[in-house]
Amino acid sequence: MDANAALFQFLLRMGDNTLVLGHRVSEWCGHAPVLEEDIALANTALDLIGQTQMWLGLAGEIEGKGRTADDLAMLRDAWDFRNLLLAEQPNGDFGQTMMRQFLFDAWHRIMLERLADSGDGRVAGIAAKALKEARYHVERSADTVIGLGDGTEESHARMQAALDLLWPYVGEMFAPDNVDAAMTQTGIAPDPADLRPDYDAHVLKVLGEATLQVPEGTFAHGGGKAGFRHSEHLGHLLTQMQWLQRAYPGATW
């Protein structure tokens, strides 16, 4: 894999994570338990979609085939997506959504902090712009996880169930492959495995305050960021997200 091809794949990963998770979070719009949460979730979704525009826009430039951020978002099939499996998991109840958000936000903040010092100025610039939002996202999702985990008997049980369900998707964030190796060698991105100590320190502290127990075992789902395996949920998500552009190609408003 040459350097441009690896960079293209890496940029797809960053953009697909924020695109898929942003769409998932947007599904709460008009359905959140209280008005403030409805607005907060909608704003989080907008932040993530805005970051997607930057990552996929640069990916299109690197690819050099004339595809725009919109083309990459709306005209690829599930097997072409490179997002983490965690991002495509269903919302479930509000607790499950916030647990998924926290587990992602904690990784996202650390990754963007490292990318802000990237050897590629374009990558560093996008990361620096996204970092302010990511820091706010993780602060908010961590507070919510603590509040619900250390809340009532029912909210604690739901948060523990959410953690049990989603924890096996965390390992994929830190499993390096040939794309990551190329990014590390060129000084564009860190080795994902190097992020794990900081991630564990932050996440375990928050989960401890939330009185939640990390599941035993080291099994980790994988295949999402490499694109060779996605869950059944991604296809359904893309069907909803892409239907307008697929039904009316080139439509704009």
Side-chain angles (χ1 to χ4, degrees), residues 8 61 67 82 93-94 99 106 131 140 149 155 159 161 163 181-182 208 218 252:
F8 175 65
E61 291 179 27
R67 290 200 286 182
R82 298 293 181 265
D93 61 19
F94 181 70
M99 181 60 74
L131 185 54
R140 179 180 173 277
S155 71
M159 295 307 287
L163 180 60
T218 58
T252 59

Side-chain angles (χ1 to χ4, degrees), residues 3-12 62 120 122-123 183 188:
N4 262 11
L7 178 55
F8 175 65
Q9 291 296 316
F10 177 76
L11 294 169
L12 287 184
I62 297 298
D120 186 309
R122 300 164 296 182
V123 171
M183 292 297 93
I188 294 176

